[in-house]
């Protein structure tokens, strides 16, 4: 049974059993600061399990993209060395939100595995939590499993918790025996040890308790179910393989890799591991880039960069020196296209990002060898035999130098590596990565509002700009609930009914005024502290406000209209980019404010002037056409089926709002918009820049801001006209004439300055010293730049004929040193060697050729002394030259 058929049969089975089919969420968790990546099917339902969000359905099923490369779920180091671990994998799951519980979950699992997937019943084994008599009884009496095939394990293996506090409960795992030829012994012991003979297929989590901050357990009012089964493992069983990497999900990749290397797979254990690591990592890389993550030095981007570099390095060990991973992207997409057709439009883009990062790493490997060798020399000179962990980590972090490569090269020099020191530094880096976004503050914020999760807030901002009477449901100050806000206080106000739009989808929150006869406050911003709860951050201007008071709530309508223009413009821009540049364009972030907006998107090259003009013209044409902007509520599934664009970084609820602009744009969006495109007035791009490899940013303005911007440009052009005393049509020609004239004058000035310099520093026989038969001219010069200094040195060298010229040019904080040696002397004294001796004296370093060298330093005050002592350095250089000559 092929992997796609397994996905379909799983989903169809649970759909027949009244489960809502839910599309996989992005690998980038939305609004969950505790996660680096989506690592389980339940992640997108977390707020439902916590009681912070509700849906119309009580049962769900999904095939979820997952990554496990951080935290307690980190399979990175085991990938390739086992048959069953992966960084990227797909989790098949079914979920109950207070609906069915243990009996139904176990019955569903048994029926699917044995009746639908036709697995051998006698090959299945089951584990339960040691105190979970109920689950044991269901397996034994309800399903009919003999107790010899049901094992009780402790918390480590059969208990699940969302965190230190929150929902938790026992779990039951289903394992399958792949055959005694893989391992012999007691099944219970082998399962506990993680033997390859037994493959864990499915984990059924029974959420029946809530653990408080004191560690005490309380029964949940509505126990829930969360299950997860790895697609790759099910495929191994149903395709009669003993190894995940031999299934149709991996085999085309391992074949392609072995073809690249000109080798058989499987063959040798060491090379097989490398092939498996590459096959695993390229899947993860493809999906991460496809979900909008770019290589970087922090957070998710750092993990992506590490995966690419780790796979590239494995290719090196197989003899692949040039970039090759990018060639495998198309293979991954071909394997996965039925389940994830969205990858097809991004194939070229993903491949380009991968190639760029491979090339970059090839350069870092080359540049990392020099500091590594220097580090080795320092270690040996210190009489040590172990490379310090912090320095090895610096190579890893700065140059991307892998630990295994440092170990291999160290062994060649009979040295070892302090791995524990390296791992300590790596853990510090991981901590920094986990904190590289607003994790801690967001968690505290959520805790502050957990007591208000059952409050019902009615947002009416799409239809109204003012609510005349709204009840105050809650007040907070410094994150703590209070009963009263007084004049001067900064606090948060939760209303029963509000016209204020809370920040979401890149659009900033509304500001405005809350007031009644005894109170007034300025709302500075509005946001969602937890799902569906709108909080108004406000400063009390006068009076007092109490819980249950009635207030009038009015947004800043001028600001709202400006935001609406900019938000609709982002939709026009997105559609225009896709039409002009291609379907690979995906929105990767945005910020919509009243004055301007920015739009981040995936694209691998800068937009040229023609493309920019085309985009501006197309958008302004749509504005001129005054197209109606229509909104419609529908299910997420209906929205996607209608062809609406969904933004990968957004988390969508069960009900979505589709914004349609004629037949030009269709997006899922909860933001505020104009009624017709003509309301935007004018669109103007202000800038287009790169924000990361393969990621571009456009900043633009609309309406009156665009008019003001255009007027400023007109004023500048008018000023230029006036200054040049030229008609507008001749401005460019006049500027070119001025540039040409300026260039001629600069040339004349350089020539005059050179003549004056030569006169000022004319050869003076009294300043020439004899050093063992060699003429030495030294001088202090001032007011010359580097080019002029070099020219003067050449001029003086020509005038003395045979000899050495050393010039020092001090400024207030720096000094430049130049050495020129006539060609007849370079076999005795080399300028580049002489500069290495003298540059450290002025606090710097330098280099050059045997006949010319230069250096910069930070000690201008001692340049005269250095020049005075220069004969001694020439004598040293002569002695070295003689010694080398005699040795030859």
């Amino acid at each position: 049974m092929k992997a796609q058929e397994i996905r379909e049969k799983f989903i169809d089975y649970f759909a027949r059993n009244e489960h809502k089919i839910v599309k996989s969420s992005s690998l980038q968790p939305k609004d969950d600061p505790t996660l680096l990546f989506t690592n389980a099917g339940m992640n997108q339902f977390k707020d439902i399990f916590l009681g912070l969000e509700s849906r119309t359905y009580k049962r769900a099923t999904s095939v979820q993209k997952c990554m496990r490369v951080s935290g307690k779920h980190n399979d990175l180091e085991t990938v390739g060395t086992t048959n069953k671990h992966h960084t990227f994998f797909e989790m098949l799951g079914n979920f109950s939100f207070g609906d069915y519980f243990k009996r139904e979950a176990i019955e569903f699992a048994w029926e699917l595995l044995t009746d639908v997937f036709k697995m051998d019943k006698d090959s299945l084994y089951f584990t339960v939590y040691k105190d979970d008599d109920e689950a044991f009884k269901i397996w034994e009496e309800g399903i009919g499993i003999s107790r010899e095939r049901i094992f009780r394990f402790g918390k480590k293996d059969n208990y699940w918790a969302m965190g230190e506090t929150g929902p938790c409960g026992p779990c039951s795992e289903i394992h399958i025996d792949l055959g005694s030829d893989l391992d012999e012994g007691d099944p219970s012991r082998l399962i506990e040890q993680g033997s390859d003979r037994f493959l864990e297929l499915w984990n059924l989590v029974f959420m029946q308790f809530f653990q408080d901050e004191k560690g005490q357990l309380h029964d949940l009012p509505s126990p829930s179910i969360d299950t997860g089964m790895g697609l790759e493992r099910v495929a191994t069983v149903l395709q009669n393989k003993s190894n995940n990497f031999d299934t149709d999900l991996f085999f085309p990749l391992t074949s392609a890799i072995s073809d690249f290397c000109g080798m058989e797979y499987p063959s040798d254990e060491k090379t097989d591991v490398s092939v498996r690591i590459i096959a695993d990592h390229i899947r993860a890389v493809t999906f991460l880039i496809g979900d909008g993550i770019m290589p970087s030095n922090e957070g998710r981007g750092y993990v992506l960069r590490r995966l690419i570099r780790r796979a590239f390095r494995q290719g090196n060990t197989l003899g692949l020196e040039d970039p090759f991973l990018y060639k495998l992207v198309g293979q991954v997409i071909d394997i996965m296209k039925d389940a994830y057709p969205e990858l097809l439009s991004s194939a070229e883009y993903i491949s380009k990002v991968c190639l760029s990062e491979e090339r970059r790493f090839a350069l870092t490997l080359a540049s990392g060898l020099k500091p590594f060798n220097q580090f080795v020399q320092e270690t040996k000179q210190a009489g040590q035999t172990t490379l310090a962990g912090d320095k090895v980590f610096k190579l890893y972090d700065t140059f991307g130098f892998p630990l295994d490569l440092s170990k291999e090269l160290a062994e060649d020099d009979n040295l070892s590596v302090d791995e524990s020191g390296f791992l300590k530094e790596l853990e510090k880096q991981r901590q920094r990565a986990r904190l590289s976004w607003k994790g801690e503050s967001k968690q505290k914020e959520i805790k502050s509002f957990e007591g208000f999760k059952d409050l019902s807030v009615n947002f009416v901002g799409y239809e109204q700009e003012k609510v005349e009477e709204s009840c105050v449901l809650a007040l907070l100050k410094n994150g703590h609930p209070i009963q009263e806000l007084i004049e001067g206080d900064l606090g948060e106000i939760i209303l029963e009914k509000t016209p204020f739009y809370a920040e979401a989808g890149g659009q900033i929150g509304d500001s405005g005024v809350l007031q009644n006869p005894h109170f007034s406050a300025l709302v500075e911003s509005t946001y969602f502290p937890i799902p569906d709860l709108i909080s108004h951050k406000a400063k009390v201007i006068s009076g007092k406000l109490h819980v249950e008071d009635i207030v009038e709530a009015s947004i800043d309508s001028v600001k709202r209209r400006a935001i609406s223009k900019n938000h609709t413009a982002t939709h026009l821009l997105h559609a225009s980019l896709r039409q002009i540049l291609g379907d690979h364009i995906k929105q990767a972030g945005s910020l919509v404010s009243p004055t301007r907006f920015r739009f981040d998107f995936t694209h691998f090259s800068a937009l040229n002037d023609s493309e920019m003009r085309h985009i501006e013209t197309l958008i302004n044409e749509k504005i001129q056409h005054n197209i109606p902007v229509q909104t419609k509520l529908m299910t997420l599934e209906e929205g996607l089926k209608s062809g609406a664009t969904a933004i990968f970084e957004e988390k969508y609820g069960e009900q979505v709002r589709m914004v349609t602009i004629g037949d030009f744009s269709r997006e899922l969006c909860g933001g505020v918009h104009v009624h017709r495109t003509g309301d935007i007035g004018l669109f103007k791009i202000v800038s287009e820049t790169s924000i990361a490899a393969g990621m571009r940013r456009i900043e633009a303005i609309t309406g009156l801001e665009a008019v003001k911007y255009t007027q400023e440009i007109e004023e500048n052009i008018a000023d230029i006209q006036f200054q040049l005393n030229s008609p507008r049509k001749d401005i460019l020609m006049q500027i070119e004439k001025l540039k040409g004239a300026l260039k001629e004058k600069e040339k004349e000035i350089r020539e005059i300055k050179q003549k004056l310099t030569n006169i000022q520093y004319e050869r003076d026989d009294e300043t020439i010293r004899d050093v063992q038969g060699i003429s030495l001219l030294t001088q202090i010069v001032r007011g010359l730049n580097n080019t002029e200094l070099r020219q003067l040195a050449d001029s003086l060298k020509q005038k003395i004929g045979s000899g050495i010229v050393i010039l020092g040019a001090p400024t207030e904080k720096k000094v430049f040193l130049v050495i020129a040696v006539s060609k007849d002397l370079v076999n005795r004294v080399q300028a580049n060697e002489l500069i290495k001796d003298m540059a450290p004296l002025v606090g710097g370093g330098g280099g050059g050729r045997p006949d010319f060298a230069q250096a910069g330093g930070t000690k201008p005050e001692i340049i005269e002394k250095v020049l005075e002592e220069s004969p001694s350095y020439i004598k040293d250089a002569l002695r070295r030259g003689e010694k080398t000559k005699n040795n030859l």
Side-chain angles (χ1 to χ4, degrees):
M1 190 182 295
K2 292 188 178 295
Q4 180 59 16
E5 188 179 353
I6 296 171
R7 293 186 191 101
E8 291 170 356
K9 282 184 177 293
F10 181 90
I11 289 294
D12 289 347
Y13 172 80
F14 282 103
R16 289 197 305 273
N17 284 283
E18 301 177 335
H19 287 66
K20 171 75 173 177
I21 300 173
V22 181
K23 182 180 170 66
S24 171
S25 64
S26 168
L27 288 170
Q28 294 194 66
K30 179 66 176 173
D31 296 330
D32 190 344
T34 66
L35 289 176
L36 197 60
F37 296 105
T38 299
N39 62 15
M42 61 79 60
N43 290 163
Q44 66 170 312
F45 305 115
K46 183 176 177 180
D47 285 340
I48 304 176
F49 287 124
L50 289 172
L52 300 175
E53 182 184 347
S54 61
R55 303 271 177 98
T56 56
Y57 52 83
K58 293 285 189 179
R59 301 179 176 194
T61 185
S62 69
V63 179
Q64 175 63 51
K65 299 176 291 186
C66 296
M67 280 285 295
R68 289 195 172 173
V69 288
S70 62
K72 67 178 182 179
H73 298 299
N74 187 351
D75 292 333
L76 181 60
E77 300 302 330
T78 54
V79 166
T81 61
T82 74
N83 297 332
K84 55 193 178 187
H85 289 95
H86 305 289
T87 53
F88 170 86
F89 66 99
E90 295 172 82
M91 185 176 282
L92 310 170
N94 60 290
F95 310 90
S96 164
F97 313 119
D99 184 23
Y100 62 81
F101 199 44
K102 291 182 185 179
R103 176 170 295 280
E104 294 88 339
I106 289 172
E107 288 172 349
F108 284 147
W110 177 253
E111 184 177 31
L112 179 69
L113 293 179
T114 58
D115 289 356
V116 178
F117 289 154
K118 307 296 183 185
M119 291 187 187
D120 178 18
K121 296 178 181 180
D122 294 333
S123 296
L124 296 173
Y125 289 76
F126 312 88
T127 67
V128 298
Y129 180 55
K130 62 185 179 66
D131 296 330
D132 193 354
D133 296 333
E134 182 184 1
F136 192 102
K137 187 176 180 181
I138 295 170
W139 280 119
E140 183 183 23
E141 298 180 7
I143 304 300
I145 306 298
S146 67
R147 59 175 47 229
E148 289 77 20
R149 299 218 317 273
I150 310 171
F151 311 122
R152 294 179 186 264
F153 290 149
K155 271 197 171 185
K156 177 178 173 289
D157 297 302
N158 280 80
Y159 200 88
W160 179 91
M162 190 174 287
E164 292 183 7
T165 62
C168 59
C171 59
S172 179
E173 293 178 348
I174 304 173
H175 299 254
I176 189 165
D177 186 352
L178 298 179
S180 58
D181 55 317
L182 292 173
D183 205 352
E184 291 186 353
D186 174 56
S188 175
R189 180 180 59 81
L190 293 177
I191 288 172
E192 192 170 21
Q193 291 175 346
S195 167
D196 281 344
R197 173 179 165 182
F198 288 91
L199 189 65
E200 179 197 330
L201 286 177
W202 209 341
N203 189 11
L204 316 179
V205 176
F206 310 129
M207 290 190 205
Q208 63 185 107
F209 304 115
F210 185 92
Q211 182 168 294
D212 63 25
E213 293 177 351
K214 295 179 181 178
Q216 295 180 333
L217 297 178
H218 308 275
D219 288 335
L220 284 173
S222 301
S224 297
I225 291 293
D226 157 31
T227 84
M229 175 163 59
L231 171 66
E232 294 76 10
R233 296 185 179 192
V234 180
T236 295
V237 175
L238 298 183
Q239 293 175 22
N240 297 314
K241 307 294 183 184
S242 59
N243 188 322
N244 290 7
F245 291 93
D246 293 337
T247 67
D248 65 332
L249 290 165
F250 287 93
F251 182 71
L253 288 170
T254 56
S255 296
I257 296 162
S258 58
D259 286 346
F260 287 166
C261 304
M263 53 172 275
E264 292 292 323
Y265 172 85
S267 57
D268 172 75
E269 179 58 25
K270 186 176 180 182
T271 58
D272 289 352
V273 168
S274 294
V275 170
R276 291 195 290 264
I277 289 173
I278 294 168
D280 171 90
H281 286 13
I282 192 59
R283 285 176 15 119
V285 166
T286 300
F287 276 90
L288 287 172
I289 298 173
D291 272 0
I293 296 165
M294 296 299 298
S296 71
N297 286 328
E298 62 179 25
R300 296 171 181 131
Y302 182 77
V303 173
L304 171 58
R305 172 162 286 167
R306 188 181 176 202
L307 287 169
I308 293 173
R309 293 182 169 190
R310 198 165 184 265
F312 185 84
R313 175 62 191 148
Q314 292 298 324
N316 289 168
T317 66
L318 297 175
L320 299 172
E321 297 298 329
D322 296 325
F324 67 95
L325 293 170
Y326 74 100
K327 298 177 184 177
L328 295 170
V329 169
Q331 191 81 58
V332 174
I333 292 173
D334 190 55
I335 296 168
M336 308 296 271
K337 64 187 178 185
D338 290 339
Y340 306 97
E342 64 272 14
L343 287 173
L344 289 167
S345 63
S346 303
E348 184 181 1
Y349 171 75
I350 296 170
S351 182
K352 283 183 176 180
V353 173
C354 194
L355 174 60
S356 174
E357 189 63 21
E358 286 186 87
R359 285 173 172 166
R360 178 174 180 153
F361 184 46
L363 290 174
T364 60
L365 278 177
S367 61
L369 281 170
K370 185 176 179 180
F372 176 83
N373 290 331
Q374 183 180 348
F375 176 28
V376 167
Q377 287 302 114
E378 291 171 357
T379 304
K380 286 183 173 180
Q381 288 169 5
Q384 298 171 347
T385 58
T386 302
L387 301 180
D390 60 339
K391 291 196 174 182
V392 174
F393 179 77
K394 186 176 181 182
L395 287 170
Y396 168 79
D397 201 38
T398 306
F399 299 100
F401 221 65
L403 174 62
D404 59 347
L405 181 57
S406 290
K407 287 166 64 178
E408 287 174 21
L409 295 175
E411 286 174 10
D412 293 341
D413 283 292
N414 296 315
L415 298 173
S416 60
V417 171
D418 172 20
E419 286 193 55
S420 62
F422 175 89
L423 293 173
K424 284 180 184 176
E425 294 299 319
L426 180 61
E427 183 55 32
K428 289 179 187 175
Q429 202 284 337
R430 284 173 175 163
Q431 291 291 342
R432 290 193 294 272
R434 283 193 281 268
L435 297 174
S436 63
W437 62 92
K438 312 164 193 173
E440 292 298 315
S441 59
K442 182 70 178 176
Q443 279 299 91
K444 290 177 183 175
E445 202 173 81
I446 289 173
K447 285 189 175 181
S448 297
F449 286 87
E450 276 184 348
F452 304 128
K453 64 186 180 184
D454 294 326
L455 293 181
S456 176
V457 177
N458 183 18
F459 171 65
V460 295
Y462 293 134
E463 303 85 23
Q464 298 173 233
E465 294 183 349
K466 180 197 287 187
V467 171
E468 293 184 351
E469 292 187 349
S470 183
C471 180
V472 176
L473 300 178
L475 299 172
L476 293 94
K477 185 177 178 181
N478 298 324
H480 300 290
I482 56 173
Q483 291 298 308
E484 177 186 72
L485 286 174
I486 62 174
E487 185 174 326
D489 277 352
L490 285 169
E492 299 193 36
I493 302 168
I494 299 172
L495 301 176
E496 180 183 31
K497 187 178 183 182
T498 180
F500 286 78
Y501 179 87
E503 180 174 347
Q507 179 183 318
I508 68 168
D510 277 328
S511 58
V513 176
L514 301 178
Q515 61 186 354
N516 63 29
H518 312 291
F519 156 85
S520 66
L522 290 177
V523 176
E524 297 173 350
S525 65
T526 316
Y527 76 111
F528 289 108
I530 58 176
D532 301 325
L533 187 72
I534 297 174
S535 178
H536 309 75
K537 291 185 176 181
K539 181 174 183 179
V540 180
I541 303 303
S542 65
K544 298 179 180 179
L545 184 67
H546 300 87
V547 175
E548 297 187 356
D549 280 357
I550 302 297
V551 296
E552 177 186 272
S554 307
I555 66 168
D556 182 334
S557 56
V558 174
K559 181 178 173 184
R560 163 71 81 83
R561 282 192 284 274
I563 291 172
S564 299
K565 292 175 182 179
N566 283 337
H567 203 150
T568 304
T570 66
H571 287 218
L572 292 174
L573 176 59
H574 193 184
S576 299
L577 288 168
R578 289 176 65 86
Q579 181 171 314
I580 293 167
L581 302 180
D583 289 340
H584 68 279
I585 297 292
K586 289 183 180 177
Q587 181 175 335
S590 66
L591 176 66
V592 181
S593 75
T595 54
R596 62 175 53 208
F597 71 86
R598 71 169 186 242
F599 186 87
D600 300 340
F601 59 99
T602 54
H603 190 56
F604 223 83
S605 58
L607 273 63
N608 58 41
D609 291 341
S610 174
E611 290 168 334
M612 297 272 276
R613 283 196 299 272
H614 193 174
I615 291 164
E616 276 192 347
T617 300
L618 180 57
I619 291 173
N620 280 304
E621 282 177 358
K622 299 303 176 185
I623 291 171
Q624 291 295 313
H625 293 160
N626 202 24
I627 305 167
V629 179
Q630 299 173 322
T631 60
K632 184 179 179 182
L633 285 176
M634 58 185 64
T635 66
L636 176 59
E637 187 178 0
E638 289 170 340
L640 295 174
K641 280 183 178 178
S642 73
T645 301
I647 311 305
F648 55 70
E649 66 168 6
E650 285 302 317
K651 178 181 177 182
Y652 295 101
E654 189 182 355
Q655 282 279 312
V656 295
R657 187 165 171 262
M658 185 169 73
V659 178
T660 304
I661 305 173
D663 58 2
F664 186 67
S665 169
R666 185 175 292 173
E667 284 193 28
L668 303 182
C669 176
V672 296
H673 290 271
V674 297
H675 296 295
R676 304 183 74 93
T677 57
D679 298 339
I680 297 171
L682 178 66
F683 169 87
K684 181 67 183 169
I685 294 175
V686 175
S687 67
E688 191 274 338
T689 56
S690 169
I691 55 172
M695 196 78 72
R696 310 296 301 179
R697 171 174 289 171
I698 284 178
E699 293 196 31
I701 48 181
T702 64
L704 288 177
E705 290 293 331
V707 172
K708 281 191 269 185
Y709 181 80
T710 306
Q711 288 172 339
E712 286 172 7
I713 293 173
E714 286 291 317
E715 288 171 7
N716 289 337
I717 293 173
D719 285 344
I720 294 169
Q721 269 184 269
F722 178 77
Q723 295 294 333
L724 294 177
N725 192 23
S726 171
R728 177 174 293 202
K729 65 183 179 64
D730 296 333
I731 285 177
L732 289 178
M733 183 176 66
Q734 194 68 18
I735 289 173
E736 287 301 318
K737 284 182 180 179
L738 285 173
K739 284 169 64 179
L742 183 60
K743 196 172 182 179
E744 285 297 317
K745 296 300 179 187
E746 286 174 345
K747 183 180 178 184
E748 289 177 22
I749 290 169
R750 283 197 303 271
E751 291 172 351
I752 293 169
K753 194 172 181 181
Q754 186 64 46
K755 288 176 182 178
L756 291 172
T757 300
N758 291 341
I759 293 170
Q760 182 179 358
Y761 300 106
E762 188 67 48
R763 169 188 165 180
D764 183 351
D765 290 342
E766 292 181 2
T767 64
I768 297 176
R769 286 174 278 182
D770 183 278
V771 182
Q772 295 184 5
I774 294 175
S775 297
L776 170 64
L777 173 61
T778 62
Q779 278 191 345
I780 300 289
V781 297
R782 302 181 191 278
L784 303 184
N785 60 34
N786 285 348
T787 302
E788 293 162 349
L789 195 62
R790 288 195 298 270
Q791 290 172 345
L792 176 60
D794 282 336
S795 176
L796 292 174
K797 184 175 70 171
Q798 296 298 323
K799 288 178 179 176
I800 65 173
S802 173
I804 299 172
V805 176
I806 304 178
L807 304 179
T811 62
E812 186 178 346
K813 294 182 179 180
K814 294 182 179 179
V815 62
F816 296 98
L817 193 64
V818 166
I819 300 176
V821 178
S822 59
K823 289 188 177 179
D824 63 309
L825 296 176
V826 293
N827 62 333
R828 298 177 64 194
V829 181
Q830 288 80 43
N832 54 332
E833 293 298 324
L834 199 53
I835 203 83
K836 289 179 183 177
D837 294 334
M838 298 180 68
L841 301 174
V842 293
R849 307 184 307 270
D851 64 328
F852 182 86
Q854 58 186 353
T858 58
K859 299 178 180 179
E861 68 277 3
I862 64 169
I863 186 61
E864 290 189 26
K865 182 181 178 184
V866 171
L867 293 186
E868 187 64 31
E869 295 175 353
S870 58
S872 65
Y873 293 100
I874 293 174
K875 290 175 183 177
D876 289 342
L878 288 168
R879 278 194 295 271
R880 286 198 300 267
E882 285 299 320
K883 188 176 180 181
T884 303
K885 186 177 179 182
N886 292 334
N887 289 336
L888 293 173

